[in-house]
Amino acid sequence: MPKNKLSLMFESIFKRDVLSGNTPKPELTVDVHAHVLPQLDDGPVDIEQSIEIIKEMYAMGYRKIIATPHVMAGYYNNAPEDILQSLHILKTVLKRRNITMELEAAAEYYLEDELFRLVECHKVLTFGGSKKYLLFEASFVTKASYILEAVIKIKQAGYTPVLAHPERYVSLNDLEVINRLSFNGALFQVNIGSLTGYYSKQAQELAELLISKKLVAFLGSDCHSIAQLESIKHAFKLKTFKEATQLNILNNTLMEKKITVFA
Ligand SMILES: [Fe+2]
């Protein structure tokens, strides 16, 4: 069939963008776990550090970041309004400096009884709009039964539980346990850095197992500093990263404005 004028025009734009190297990385444009809001947790100490990280992530192909500061009673008492105020300030500065990264905020909730209270009275920040993804983490030695209890309670309250970096928990080094959490509605967010062995050999192996069993819903940078982005860049080159991005992960479904190769 002969090509019409419009398709030839798109083809030439496509070729030009690919050749110029301006095409954003199509495999991962949204980060769902990043400590980029200043002075709320163990992430950036000021707004300049936040901007430095965001600019570097833009260069890596990211176009949207869900900022997820820690919430932990007695350590990081970040109420939704504190987080949203910090987001507003950072977004204002980004706009003033013509940095086009899309930015939203949720949180990384620490698994403790206080989390159950926050969930019951709906004082939590989630991402994904009506999907209400709630990101939570546990201590690295938390019992699997406590994680399961959290999954059930979070779900009962009307949220979608997303367990941060499951590969890093000692008690989850067991496929049967992982499957039980998944069966009860847990989604898993694997840290990209885990694929390089950045955290530990055991975390790397469990991350690889989760990928091979197609149990990864989200990939996250869990970035706290610009230095940490080096391990993410390294992971981008790995076969396991490519495999993970081919699993219908949900990151890019969170992009409101669809990025195409013509953009
Ligand atoms: Fe984190």
Side-chain angles (χ1 to χ4, degrees):
M1 188 194 284
K3 287 179 180 172
N4 64 31
K5 221 172 166 183
L6 196 64
S7 69
L8 282 169
M9 189 181 82
F10 275 145
E11 199 174 89
S12 81
I13 294 169
F14 173 77
K15 277 183 185 160
R16 195 176 62 220
D17 274 1
V18 168
L19 290 173
S20 66
N22 288 335
T23 310
K25 267 183 173 299
E27 58 265 38
L28 197 67
T29 54
V30 182
D31 190 14
V32 299
H33 183 168
H35 301 264
V36 291
L37 295 179
Q39 297 175 328
L40 289 184
D41 60 9
D42 52 348
V45 297
D46 58 33
I47 207 157
E48 292 308 321
Q49 280 192 5
S50 297
I51 288 166
E52 198 185 2
I53 293 170
I54 290 168
K55 281 167 79 175
E56 187 62 21
M57 289 181 74
Y58 190 93
M60 291 162 68
Y62 286 106
R63 294 296 178 266
K64 179 173 181 174
I65 299 170
I66 315 280
T68 53
H70 291 289
V71 174
M72 184 193 278
Y75 291 91
Y76 304 116
N77 299 310
N78 291 315
E81 49 273 25
D82 301 327
I83 295 171
L84 293 176
Q85 189 187 25
S86 178
L87 173 75
H88 175 71
I89 294 167
L90 182 56
K91 281 177 82 160
T92 305
V93 176
L94 287 178
K95 196 172 175 189
R96 211 178 292 148
R97 297 196 194 176
N98 288 323
I99 299 166
T100 55
M101 183 73 89
E102 206 180 319
L103 207 59
E104 277 184 23
E108 181 181 20
Y109 291 95
Y110 186 71
L111 175 51
E112 55 191 342
D113 290 349
E114 174 65 4
L115 171 58
F116 299 148
R117 195 188 66 79
L118 293 176
V119 162
E120 276 162 24
C121 61
H122 303 288
K123 284 192 174 169
V124 287
L125 285 178
T126 61
F127 63 98
S130 61
K131 302 278 186 195
K132 293 186 182 177
Y133 297 121
L134 190 147
L135 185 72
F136 76 104
E137 66 169 339
S139 141
F140 300 124
V141 291
T142 299
K143 285 184 177 168
S145 57
Y146 194 34
I147 298 177
L148 180 60
E149 183 187 343
V151 167
I152 292 167
K153 284 188 174 166
I154 291 168
K155 225 176 146 51
Q156 277 171 349
Y159 303 100
T160 308
V162 179
L163 181 60
H165 38 68
E167 70 277 11
R168 299 185 63 192
Y169 306 118
V170 177
S171 64
L172 301 196
N173 199 7
D174 178 339
L175 198 53
E176 203 178 309
V177 173
I178 293 272
N179 280 329
R180 196 173 312 134
L181 290 174
S182 173
F183 179 78
N184 280 281
L187 298 184
F188 300 124
Q189 175 266 299
V190 162
N191 276 7
I192 298 168
S194 291
L195 304 177
T196 66
Y198 177 84
Y199 301 99
S200 69
K201 185 77 186 155
Q202 186 185 310
Q204 181 183 9
E205 286 172 359
L206 191 46
E208 288 170 357
L209 180 69
L210 288 163
I211 293 167
S212 71
K213 298 294 178 188
K214 302 183 170 43
L215 283 166
V216 182
F218 293 104
L219 290 171
S221 73
D222 200 358
C223 176
H224 288 70
S225 67
I226 191 128
Q228 207 181 338
L229 290 175
E230 289 310 307
S231 73
I232 312 288
K233 286 184 209 168
H234 176 53
F236 279 178
K237 298 175 192 153
L238 299 176
K239 199 168 147 242
T240 42
F241 174 75
K242 292 261 176 269
E243 284 166 9
T245 57
Q246 286 162 6
L247 292 179
N248 284 331
I249 53 166
L250 299 169
N251 291 59
N252 292 354
T253 65
L254 303 169
M255 197 82 215
E256 277 167 29
K257 294 168 214 151
K258 293 271 181 247
I259 287 182
T260 71
V261 286
F262 308 114

